[in-house]
Amino acid sequence: MQFSGQILKMCTQNGKPIQYYLNLGNDLIMMNQLIGKTLTIQHIGYQCLCCDSDEKIYRMGFCKKCFFESPYASDTIIRPELSTAHLGIGERDLEVEKSIQLHPHIVYLAYTGDVKVGVTRESQIPTRWIDQGATFALPIARTDNRYEAGMIEVALKEHLADKTNWRKMLEDDFEDDLDLKDFRDKIREYFPEDFQNFYSMEHEMERLDYPYEAPEKIVSFTLEKNPEISGTLTGIKGQYLCFDGGRFLNVRAHEGYVIELEADTTE
Ligand SMILES: [Zn+2]
């Protein structure tokens, strides 16, 4: 099988195990069925997710110009507490920012090698957890908008991690008796006073099941440093494809790269 197109983040479907689809714009390739097969991915160009330009990708799938101008790459995407659409104040494009920020958001705890706190739109659950490679996740608050969730996250990250350490996530070590509810109960006191009413105990912890077993060593591979990766696909976790020898390709970090993919399905 041969495909070519622009890399978008993989689409997922929660299940046992999670189902992954590589999204090349025109083609969705079912990746679970390629585990154990030989794949070759070759970098042949760039295509900005926003303007389609073939300029080099700068960050988040955007060329440099779009990264600094698009409302989809604004500061509030990374730092929800800076959100201002609920006040009617725009940063780059108020209408787009309203469409992103003025929806119910969830503050959650996730185990991605460490217990971390995160924020996402309610409609992004469990997709967000899968993208981060969380083994366990537990919603701890539901807010009316992105700003409120961001303010809770800021207070809690004084006490918990808020970034995923990708290497620890891929090592896939965890205690079987880990219970995020214990962490939820402990951090309740750190909720900002004005946002206590969003604290929620109604959720159960979810466990996510990846088509993945951690290899002995973990090596990061980028198409920037080396335009071709070839080998046996051994598993998938988060947005990472794992190749033999413990080589990992972070699909999300390659959004906007145009590639050719060849899969040998005759084996
Ligand atoms: Zn662009």
Side-chain angles (χ1 to χ4, degrees):
M1 297 194 294
Q2 205 170 6
F3 303 93
S4 69
Q6 165 202 40
I7 295 185
L8 301 171
K9 85 180 178 77
M10 285 187 281
C11 301
T12 58
Q13 196 174 17
N14 200 7
K16 296 194 180 307
I18 293 160
Q19 303 293 307
Y20 279 95
Y21 302 86
L22 184 64
N23 187 351
L24 293 184
N26 296 320
D27 291 300
L28 270 186
I29 302 148
M30 189 5 164
M31 295 307 280
N32 297 56
Q33 68 185 13
L34 296 180
I35 292 172
K37 310 285 188 195
T38 303
L39 296 190
T40 302
I41 292 175
Q42 197 175 8
H43 177 209
I44 57 170
Y46 298 103
Q47 185 182 350
C48 170
L49 263 54
C50 181
C51 74
D52 283 337
S53 119
D54 59 4
E55 296 264 322
K56 192 173 167 184
I57 296 298
Y58 183 70
R59 241 176 260 170
M60 290 166 66
F62 295 122
C63 71
K64 196 166 185 177
K65 179 174 185 292
C66 292
F67 181 78
F68 288 105
E69 291 179 5
S70 165
Y72 295 99
S74 73
D75 287 344
T76 54
I77 302 290
I78 305 291
R79 300 182 57 194
E81 72 275 15
L82 301 177
S83 299
T84 53
H86 62 291
L87 303 173
I89 300 170
E91 185 192 351
R92 293 184 180 179
D93 182 330
L94 181 58
E95 287 313 307
V96 171
E97 284 146 16
K98 277 183 175 172
S99 76
I100 294 171
Q101 297 172 20
L102 304 188
H103 292 279
H105 276 63
I106 297 291
V107 184
Y108 60 87
L109 299 179
Y111 182 80
T112 56
D114 290 305
V115 176
K116 58 162 268 178
V117 59
V119 159
T120 193
R121 272 168 72 168
E122 190 172 40
S123 58
Q124 282 300 302
I125 284 177
T127 307
R128 180 75 182 137
W129 299 337
I130 295 170
D131 289 349
Q132 292 178 332
T135 312
F136 304 100
L138 175 70
I140 59 169
R142 180 181 188 271
T143 63
D144 297 329
N145 63 44
R146 189 167 180 82
Y147 168 76
E148 294 157 346
M151 291 301 284
I152 295 170
E153 183 188 39
V154 166
L156 299 187
K157 71 187 187 191
E158 301 276 316
H159 308 278
L160 293 168
D162 65 315
K163 303 268 188 298
T164 297
N165 176 327
W166 63 271
R167 191 175 287 276
K168 274 179 139 178
M169 182 276 283
L170 293 170
E171 282 169 3
D172 209 24
D173 266 341
F174 55 88
E175 304 289 329
D176 269 321
D177 59 355
L178 181 103
D179 190 348
L180 292 175
K181 284 183 179 174
D182 296 341
F183 289 84
R184 178 193 66 193
D185 298 346
K186 278 187 208 136
I187 54 151
R188 177 172 198 168
E189 61 175 305
Y190 302 118
F191 265 57
E193 206 163 320
D194 291 349
F195 301 94
Q196 282 283 354
N197 56 315
F198 296 118
Y199 179 83
S200 163
M201 292 177 66
E202 68 182 77
H203 297 277
E204 292 299 317
M205 182 172 83
E206 284 202 40
R207 180 168 182 171
L208 297 139
D209 179 6
Y210 298 90
Y212 178 74
E213 264 178 57
E216 287 197 357
K217 62 170 187 171
I218 290 169
V219 187
S220 156
F221 189 99
T222 71
L223 295 174
E224 194 54 52
K225 288 197 202 114
N226 195 332
E228 185 176 297
I229 183 166
S230 188
T232 307
L233 181 69
T234 61
I236 312 173
K237 190 178 186 207
Q239 284 281 330
Y240 286 81
L241 297 177
C242 179
F243 288 85
D244 57 73
R247 294 172 298 155
F248 285 87
L249 186 74
N250 180 352
V251 173
R252 188 157 208 184
H254 287 85
E255 280 190 310
Y257 281 60
V258 180
I259 58 153
E260 272 175 10
L261 168 74
E262 201 171 310
D264 186 352
T265 51
T266 57
E267 299 152 59

